[in-house]
């Protein structure tokens, strides 16, 4: 069974940076997709970024392109979300998430509410003040 444990998050002023980490374990397939989903107050969950290292395929939501970067450290089974030039609209609870088997992260991470994802981290708060 896949387990995801995330860390990072916190509060930052607009224009600042944060990095989230997610330690993953228990994948049964060699091809899987991992990434990040966020939920702002009163809004539906939104896929932010997804990645399949084996397929060298990456998904980013339009709202974060050019500011957020997802990366995977396969040796340590950990993946990251580096967030730069943060905006108040980025304020949300961020969840790491995964699905397997998976080849392209585009479908599972672009579905409304994260419906295409099977495994979730516990969530971490990111607050961006203006």
């Amino acid at each position: 069974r896949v387990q995801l444990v995330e860390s990072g998050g916190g509060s930052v002023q607009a224009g600042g940076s944060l990095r989230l980490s997610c330690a993953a374990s228990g994948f049964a397939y060699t091809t899987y997709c991992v990434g990040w989903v966020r939920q702002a107050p009163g809004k539906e969950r939104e896929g932010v970024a997804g990645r399949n290292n084996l397929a060298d395929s990456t998904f980013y939501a339009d709202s974060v392109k050019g500011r957020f970067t997802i990366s995977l450290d396969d040796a340590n089974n950990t993946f990251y979300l580096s967030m730069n030039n943060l905006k108040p609209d980025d304020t949300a609870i961020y969840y790491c998430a995964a699905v397997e088997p998976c080849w392209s992260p585009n479908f599972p991470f672009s579905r409304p509410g994260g419906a295409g994802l099977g495994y979730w981290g516990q969530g971490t708060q990111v607050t961006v003040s203006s």
Side-chain angles (χ1 to χ4, degrees):
R1 177 179 174 82
V2 177
Q3 291 189 313
L4 304 173
V5 179
E6 60 185 291
S7 59
S11 297
V12 66
Q13 289 190 325
S17 300
L18 286 172
R19 190 175 81 157
L20 307 180
S21 302
C22 186
S25 62
F27 288 110
Y29 294 84
T30 57
T31 178
Y32 51 84
C33 297
V34 298
W36 301 87
V37 176
R38 69 185 180 186
Q39 187 167 24
K43 294 187 178 181
E44 192 176 42
R45 286 185 179 182
E46 169 195 28
V48 173
R51 173 78 180 162
N52 179 322
N53 254 11
L54 192 64
D56 192 20
S57 181
T58 306
F59 163 83
Y60 289 108
D62 288 342
S63 57
V64 306
K65 282 181 181 177
R67 301 188 298 121
F68 290 12
T69 302
I70 184 172
S71 58
L72 277 69
D73 181 350
D74 287 329
N76 293 307
N77 296 317
T78 302
F79 57 100
Y80 306 91
L81 185 68
S82 298
M83 304 181 290
N84 297 316
N85 190 22
L86 282 160
K87 304 176 181 180
D89 283 349
D90 295 318
T91 295
I93 298 175
Y94 283 71
Y95 299 88
C96 59
V99 58
E100 61 167 357
C102 173
W103 190 249
S104 169
N106 291 346
F107 178 71
F109 283 93
S110 64
R111 289 189 69 183
L117 301 164
Y119 304 99
W120 297 83
Q122 76 273 22
T124 187
Q125 178 70 45
V126 171
T127 302
V128 185
S129 58
S130 58

